[in-house]
């Protein structure tokens, strides 16, 4: 069974994806980390984030073992990720890895922006997770504070609005719900309620 979870920045899709994967005992891939890793490695190598060929070379040699680096979760790397994610060659280079991950025996859960539309258009269940921007910013702010990252709420709100705009307006695999995705608005839901709602949507889709 393949489950696609998409949605805008800090919508809680990562947390939901992990909980759903645990429930169905499936492997889980946070595809945002791939784009974040490309941004990190392009910057470390001293290239500009809009350098297509440098970003492509990095995307082709991404080491999945490096995806647990806590540096990937910083706002700076997130912003860079949305810049390299606009490059079609980078997206194409990361596609095989994502599709192979999804094709594992038993299936997988993947979260991102284009899982339901491009990476796994045939997924058994697709959820597009949204929430009002101020609520998403507050949740992300609280995460950063818990990790002692020096951030302000206003900067986080501006960051997610800028990334959403970039991700939704790019030509290559723009962020949008698949035609057959279920929408889940978590503005007024805590994580337990969002999880219950997501499980209900998936069960209905797969006929459980
Ligand atoms: O955790 P958050 O929602 O803030 O971001 P993320 O899922 O880690 O994704 C970081 C950036 O990677 C996004 O802003 C997108 O530009 C890009 N991305 C993408 O283009 N396609 C995906 N499937 C996943 C992420």
């Amino acid at each position: 069974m393949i489950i696609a979870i998409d949605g805008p920045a800090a919508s809680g899709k990562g947390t939901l994806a992990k909980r759903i994967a645990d429930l169905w005992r499936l492997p889980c891939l946070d595809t945002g980390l791939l784009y974040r890793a490309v941004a990190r490695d392009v910057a470390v190598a001293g290239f500009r984030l809009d350098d297509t060929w440098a970003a492509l070379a990095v995307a082709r040699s991404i080491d999945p073992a490096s995806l647990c680096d806590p540096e990937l979760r910083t706002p700076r790397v997130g912003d860079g990720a949305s810049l390299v994610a606009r490059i079609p060659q980078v997206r194409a280079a990361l596609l095989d890895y994502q599709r192979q991950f999804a094709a594992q025996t038993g299936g997988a859960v993947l979260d991102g922006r284009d899982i339901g539309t491009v990476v796994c258009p045939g997924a058994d269940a697709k959820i597009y997770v949204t929430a009002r921007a101020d609520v998403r910013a507050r949740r992300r702010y609280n995460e950063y504070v818990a990790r002692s990252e020096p951030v302000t709420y206003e900067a986080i709100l501006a960051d997610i609005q800028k990334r959403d705009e970039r991700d939704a307006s790019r030509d290559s695999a723009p962020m949008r719900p698949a035609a057959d995705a279920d929408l889940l608005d978590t503005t007024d839901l805590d994580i337990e309620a969002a999880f219950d709602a997501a499980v209900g949507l998936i069960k209905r889709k797969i006929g459980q």
Side-chain angles (χ1 to χ4, degrees):
M1 174 168 73
I2 298 177
I3 301 177
I5 316 275
D6 288 302
S11 55
K13 56 195 183 310
T15 308
L16 274 180
K18 278 193 212 84
R19 302 245 344 223
I20 289 163
D22 284 349
L23 181 67
W24 271 285
R25 301 205 174 140
L26 293 169
C28 186
L29 179 65
D30 174 349
T31 65
L33 288 179
L34 300 172
Y35 294 91
R36 286 172 182 263
V38 173
R40 174 199 57 194
D41 293 352
V42 167
V44 166
F47 292 98
R48 285 169 50 120
L49 290 163
D50 59 359
D51 183 328
T52 298
W53 306 112
L56 175 59
V58 166
R60 283 188 173 143
S61 58
I62 280 294
D63 174 9
S66 75
L67 297 180
C68 43
D69 174 6
E71 166 74 11
L72 293 182
R73 306 270 180 197
T74 59
R76 194 176 48 80
V77 175
D79 186 61
S82 75
L83 290 173
V84 297
R86 293 201 290 208
I87 304 173
Q89 292 90 335
V90 167
R91 304 199 71 84
L94 296 177
L95 201 52
D96 267 359
Y97 178 76
Q98 296 174 80
R99 287 196 173 144
Q100 274 171 28
F101 189 94
Q104 293 178 71
T105 311
V109 179
L110 288 87
D111 80 83
R113 304 287 187 291
D114 60 341
I115 309 302
T117 51
V118 174
V119 179
C120 303
D124 300 274
K126 301 178 183 179
I127 301 184
Y128 193 85
V129 188
T130 59
R132 236 177 35 226
D134 61 305
V135 172
R136 291 188 279 125
R138 179 62 58 193
R139 291 177 187 156
R140 182 57 51 95
Y141 174 73
N142 290 340
E143 273 172 39
Y144 284 138
V145 168
R147 294 205 317 252
S148 308
E149 286 267 353
V151 289
T152 63
Y153 167 80
E154 289 72 21
I156 296 290
L157 178 61
D159 169 64
I160 67 175
Q161 285 173 326
K162 183 172 61 169
R163 279 200 291 134
D164 287 352
E165 160 65 21
R166 230 185 246 154
D167 291 344
S169 64
R170 67 180 174 226
D171 293 330
S172 182
M175 169 178 79
R176 62 179 170 78
D180 54 349
D182 287 307
L183 300 187
L184 177 58
D185 186 336
T186 67
T187 300
D188 299 315
L189 304 180
D190 64 14
I191 180 62
E192 290 306 325
F195 175 63
D196 288 348
V199 169
L201 292 170
I202 294 167
K203 285 187 170 167
R204 198 172 319 144
K205 261 288 159 52
I206 64 175
Q208 259 186 20

